Amino acid sequence: MSAEEDHPTGRIAPIQARSFGFLRRTYAMLVKELIQLRRDRLTFAMIIIIPVMQLLLFGYAINTTPRHLPTAVLLQEDSDLGRSILKALENTSYFKFTQQVHTVAEFDNLLLSGKVLFGVEIPRGFERAVRRGERPAILVAADATDPVAAGSALSALGAIVQTALEHDRVAGEPGDPPFEIRAHARYNPAASSRLNIVPGLVGTILTMTMLIFTALSVTREIERGTMENLLSMPITPVEVMLGKILPYVVVGFIQASLIIGIGVLLFGVPVRGSLAMLALLSTLFITTNLAIGYTFSTLVQNQLQAMQASMMFFLPSILLSGFMFPFAGMPAWAQIVGECLPLTHYLRIVRAIMLKGSTLENLRYDTLALAALMLVAMTIAVTRFRRTLD
């Protein structure tokens, strides 16, 4: 039966009316959603901030060929040729001499602590050996736990020999240089990316999960209406916060153990340092992230906003911590921001313990920085929660 036969007058106006009604209702729903989006300031801010943040970070802060990397020098003799070699190294723009040491122990400790990425050792009697034709060697030691940062600089060493001889009267043909440079990639001589990525994943996964778990904890209580019952109990804000955080410390510890265990068994990642110290500092890192997530939960109004705030913090953490891109290659302002992120310090800690066998003395700076960030986050969380109660 046709539309005309279905209607007494034989017209199709009801079909058109239904079509216009559909459009009006759809338009009304669209306007309603736009108004609601405008009122949700955090979501609206996320729409603007996240793409702008990504553009600025990738455009200005991220550098896959880092230069001016911190380098220590062990200069056992002060000679014209030695200074020419150091100047030639600096002219490559890969090396920046920030430390001068006097013993091999200091040289090794700087690499273990991560304060420098390279160390250059010019042995005693070097220039005299060169002039005698003995072909002495200069040692360039690299912290290869980050193969991306070390690889480009090590590849530039080939042209250093002839460059250093341009202003020195030293005999030597290009095919038979009077000295050699021995590059020693420490801690990851095969430049295996998995040795860098797997320890970093421990911190990255813990950051994401711990932030989300605790950011949702308080907002879930508010949305379910159970916060009022909680506030009626004789309990202080600190006790509430600790009661919500401590269970997730156990969860985070289980996650860290699982990731490290899989990394060791399946990917052959070594654990050269103390497992007890790794567990202790991992607990400190987990607690810091839980306190930050708890702070987010006191700032937002619902679980969606809590998720958005967590991701807004997670994005710069993963980009500026040294997980995806070399930290030393970032500009100064990006490194300052990175130093304020717990993940930056934990990545140095977990990689140093697992790959280098570093001790607590070597990791003193990053441990103290992580503890300070935890105290700041907990203070803000308790203060914000007390204001919520008021």
Side-chain angles (χ1 to χ4, degrees), residues 244-360:
K244 285 187 168 294
I245 283 179
L246 289 178
Y248 295 114
V249 173
V250 178
V251 173
F253 192 80
I254 293 173
Q255 284 186 330
S257 302
L258 185 64
I259 298 167
I260 293 173
I262 292 175
V264 172
L265 295 176
L266 295 185
F267 300 106
V269 181
V271 182
R272 297 191 173 100
S274 169
L275 276 175
M277 186 174 66
L278 179 58
L280 178 64
L281 296 181
S282 295
T283 304
L284 177 62
F285 172 70
I286 290 168
T287 307
T288 305
N289 279 300
L290 291 174
I292 294 173
Y294 196 88
T295 302
F296 289 158
S297 69
T298 63
L299 295 171
V300 299
Q301 299 176 349
N302 53 59
Q303 294 187 59
L304 176 60
Q305 291 182 351
M307 288 285 292
Q308 292 171 338
S310 300
M311 295 309 298
M312 192 178 294
F313 182 82
F314 180 70
L315 178 62
S317 293
I318 196 172
L319 292 178
L320 298 181
S321 62
F323 172 68
M324 295 181 65
F325 307 98
F327 185 84
M330 297 178 186
W333 66 267
Q335 292 188 24
I336 293 173
V337 175
E339 292 289 344
C340 299
L341 301 172
L343 183 58
T344 301
H345 302 285
Y346 184 70
L347 288 183
R348 296 172 186 164
I349 289 171
V350 69
R351 286 170 176 166
I353 293 176
M354 294 183 68
L355 302 181
K356 302 179 183 180
S358 299
T359 63
L360 189 60

Side-chain angles (χ1 to χ4, degrees), residues 7 37 177 211 230 285 317 335 351 389:
H7 194 270
L37 179 62
L211 283 175
L230 184 63
F285 172 70
S317 293
Q335 292 188 24
R351 286 170 176 166
L389 296 180

Side-chain angles (χ1 to χ4, degrees), residues 193-219:
S193 59
R194 67 180 61 179
L195 296 188
N196 176 263
I197 292 174
V198 172
L201 280 174
V202 180
T204 304
I205 293 174
L206 286 176
T207 298
M208 180 174 62
T209 55
M210 295 299 100
L211 283 175
I212 292 175
F213 286 162
T214 45
L216 296 177
S217 62
V218 174
T219 52

Side-chain angles (χ1 to χ4, degrees), residues 54-133:
Q54 285 182 322
L55 181 62
L56 293 178
L57 291 181
F58 278 97
Y60 291 107
I62 305 306
N63 183 9
T64 56
T65 56
R67 298 177 183 273
H68 308 292
L69 302 172
T71 306
V73 58
L74 175 57
L75 190 61
Q76 297 187 359
E77 74 165 20
D78 189 10
S79 63
D80 291 338
L81 182 57
R83 288 191 295 270
S84 295
I85 293 170
L86 295 181
K87 187 63 177 177
L89 286 170
E90 278 193 314
N91 288 340
T92 65
S93 74
Y94 287 108
F95 304 93
K96 180 182 180 182
F97 294 105
T98 58
Q99 302 272 354
Q100 183 168 354
V101 297
H102 304 285
T103 65
V104 176
E106 291 179 278
F107 185 87
D108 293 336
N109 284 332
L110 285 174
L111 286 170
L112 276 173
S113 63
K115 293 180 180 178
V116 297
L117 292 181
F118 296 92
V120 179
E121 180 183 358
I122 298 180
R124 186 174 287 106
F126 174 76
E127 185 169 3
R128 183 176 59 182
V130 168
R131 297 190 183 279
R132 288 181 177 179

Side-chain angles (χ1 to χ4, degrees), residues 130 133 135 161-162 165 168-179:
V130 168
R135 270 190 106 239
V161 176
Q162 293 303 320
L165 299 178
D168 291 272
R169 298 176 180 177
V170 178
E173 297 296 330
D176 186 25
F179 67 91

